[in-house]
Amino acid sequence: MEYKHFSHPHNLIIHRAYELGKQVNCSGCDFPCDNTTTAVHACHQCNFFLHDHCANAARYVKHPCHKPHPLILLPYPTYAGSTFICNACNRPGRSFSYCCALCEFDLHVGCAFLPVSVTHRDHEHELGLYYGVPVVPRRGSNIDQEYCNICKNVLETRNWAYCCRSCDFNVHTACATNEVVPGLYQDNSPESGAVEGPGPAAQAGGSGGNGVELELTEDELAAMLFELKLQMMAQSIATMGNIK
Ligand SMILES: [Zn+2]
Ligand SMILES: [Zn+2]
Ligand SMILES: [Zn+2]
Ligand SMILES: [Zn+2]
Ligand SMILES: [Zn+2]
Ligand SMILES: [Zn+2]
């Protein structure tokens, strides 16, 4: 079947991944579309492909990591240089992002939908998702940097991590999982309750207590998108000015 996706000017065709007969990357998250069990949404003339979960990502989420504002799904970054730096993993992105334009806060789609907890063969306990590494202050240690217990590379403490608090076992999100849980943090999503547990909610900072429920009507969303468009226009005018 064919349909129109908001991120692409042409109709997309839905395939099984193996029907493509070649290795392609998702234009939403830049990761390979090699999962043969789910669909891939394709525009062949443009070499444009989307994972099923990237194509179906909600237009906005009320993410517990950024409680003041909803995060809006943008098909491409509006920043100069057409890249954003993900606030979760600190890596650049050039495709889809969940963005708060007011705060210049951006997440990869995959980072936005990381599971709240995971298990990994390198550790006997469940690992919880933290929006920043919960550091135990140690004499002489650098509180801005820890080391990932899986890859042994530097783990910036301001980045998200999977942690076992009792063992002080902290790892990069990408080292712990490549799982994506689409559908988190949407209206009435049953999963959103899970993040209010002792893990990430405790790290989300700010208000405490029950999660801030931000109810958005269609009108408010439209107004927000309009505001965002104005900002994007202002930005592109500014960029054009720089080129002259
Ligand atoms: Zn994808
Ligand atoms: Zn196309
Ligand atoms: Zn990321
Ligand atoms: Zn914000
Ligand atoms: Zn690592
Ligand atoms: Zn442990």
Side-chain angles (χ1 to χ4, degrees):
M1 80 167 249
E2 263 187 38
Y3 78 106
K4 179 76 185 66
H5 191 269
F6 79 94
S7 69
H8 195 75
H10 314 123
N11 279 353
L12 302 185
I13 304 167
I14 300 178
H15 290 283
R16 295 283 137 192
Y18 61 82
E19 291 172 343
L20 295 171
K22 56 178 174 179
Q23 180 58 264
V24 298
N25 275 10
C26 172
S27 308
C29 66
D30 284 332
F31 280 96
C33 291
D34 58 357
N35 189 337
T36 51
T37 60
T38 61
V40 174
H41 303 229
C43 173
H44 291 284
Q45 67 180 105
C46 301
N47 244 1
F48 179 93
F49 303 95
L50 291 176
H51 286 119
D52 202 42
H53 64 254
C54 289
N56 290 318
R59 292 302 304 276
Y60 73 95
V61 291
K62 296 179 290 186
H63 204 290
C65 75
H66 193 74
K67 286 187 174 175
H69 310 118
L71 303 180
I72 297 175
L73 181 62
L74 296 184
Y76 44 83
T78 57
Y79 302 115
S82 303
T83 40
F84 66 91
I85 300 294
C86 174
N87 286 70
C89 67
N90 207 32
R91 293 182 195 181
R94 306 187 66 87
S95 34
F96 286 13
S97 64
Y98 276 108
C99 172
C100 174
L102 297 171
C103 305
E104 300 202 349
F105 183 93
D106 302 88
L107 297 177
H108 291 115
V109 173
C111 290
F113 297 132
L114 282 166
V116 168
S117 63
V118 295
T119 51
H120 191 278
R121 59 188 148 73
D122 283 12
H123 196 72
E124 55 185 321
H125 307 126
E126 193 170 73
L127 305 174
L129 178 62
Y130 285 81
Y131 305 138
V133 184
V135 276
V136 184
R138 279 181 295 251
R139 189 180 284 271
S141 73
N142 179 352
I143 58 157
D144 295 330
Q145 284 183 352
E146 287 272 304
Y147 289 89
C148 172
N149 286 83
I150 291 177
C151 72
K152 313 297 180 200
N153 289 319
V154 168
L155 179 61
E156 301 281 349
T157 53
R158 69 197 148 100
N159 293 152
W160 294 12
Y162 280 100
C163 311
C164 172
R165 292 302 303 275
S166 12
C167 305
D168 200 16
F169 182 92
N170 307 315
V171 298
H172 293 115
T173 51
C175 290
T177 186
N178 51 18
E179 215 186 310
V180 179
V181 190
L184 283 176
Y185 317 127
Q186 290 170 42
D187 289 318
N188 309 319
S189 122
E191 294 96 325
S192 62
V195 302
E196 301 298 341
Q203 288 300 309
S207 52
N210 284 328
V212 177
E213 270 311 308
L214 233 178
E215 289 305 333
L216 270 187
T217 64
E218 276 299 312
D219 284 351
E220 283 165 335
L221 179 64
M224 211 163 60
L225 287 168
F226 180 70
E227 164 120 343
L228 192 70
K229 246 182 228 158
L230 289 180
Q231 288 176 12
M232 284 159 67
M233 273 161 63
Q235 237 159 10
S236 56
I237 289 166
T239 317
M240 275 153 57
N242 290 340
I243 290 165
K244 272 179 205 157

